Amino acid sequence: MNAGTASKAAAYAAGLALIAVGLRGIVDQVPFAQWAKWFVGAAVLHDAVLVPAVLAAGALTGLVPAGRRIVRAALVIGACVTVVAIPVVLGYGRRADEPSRLPLPYGRNLGIVLGVIAVAAACALVVRAVTARRGAGRASGRGGATRAPRHSRKEARR
């Protein structure tokens, strides 16, 4: 067994041990009905909301003629930011008797961050369009400086 295989085996063993600890904690501390409700809710949320939304976004961005990767990247980044920010936007943990717990306007701030992501994607699309137009102009002989053809080393020696 080489070092790479041994390190993989050790990582798998550590992962399985952590999974066993987590499962034991669930079995010991969480009532089955509560766990089953959470598990079914997560499965329904995934299959009924997340998957159709991702498929629809993929289909819609497939219609974008140029810059499809940029648009998809912006959507993925925006979705990740939104998933992380949803608990504070919805006010989980906010208490009326403790106003300093979640004091900021998180919904507005999420909107600002998503706007910045959209503007960055738009700027990337503009840069891509401009560089593509310049490259097309040079290839067709219009615009840009022309350069004398380069000779090979053999031709230069003659």
Side-chain angles (χ1 to χ4, degrees):
M1 182 183 312
N2 63 17
T5 306
S7 64
K8 283 182 185 179
Y12 287 145
L16 287 173
L18 289 173
I19 289 171
V21 168
L23 287 174
R24 181 171 181 193
I26 288 173
V27 169
D28 289 347
Q29 298 176 3
V30 180
F32 180 75
Q34 186 179 1
W35 176 85
K37 185 171 89 173
W38 180 88
F39 187 78
V40 168
V44 167
L45 179 69
H46 179 271
D47 293 346
V49 176
L50 184 63
V51 171
V54 169
L55 290 175
L60 290 174
T61 57
L63 301 174
V64 175
R68 184 175 302 135
R69 289 182 181 170
I70 295 170
V71 172
R72 286 182 177 165
L75 287 173
V76 167
I77 293 167
C80 291
V81 168
T82 302
V83 165
V84 169
I86 281 293
V88 292
V89 169
L90 296 177
Y92 294 143
R94 184 175 289 141
R95 290 178 26 187
D97 63 336
E98 194 175 344
S100 64
R101 186 171 280 188
L102 292 173
L104 301 176
Y106 297 103
R108 183 200 68 190
N109 294 347
L110 175 61
I112 291 170
V113 170
L114 292 176
V116 168
I117 292 169
V119 167
C123 289
L125 287 170
V126 167
V127 166
R128 182 175 179 170
V130 167
T131 56
R133 186 173 293 160
R134 284 184 185 168
R138 287 185 182 145
S140 66
R142 292 179 288 136
T146 58
R147 202 181 272 196
R150 295 184 78 183
H151 299 288
S152 68
R153 290 183 182 176
K154 288 182 180 179
E155 291 176 356
R157 291 180 189 163
R158 290 182 189 171

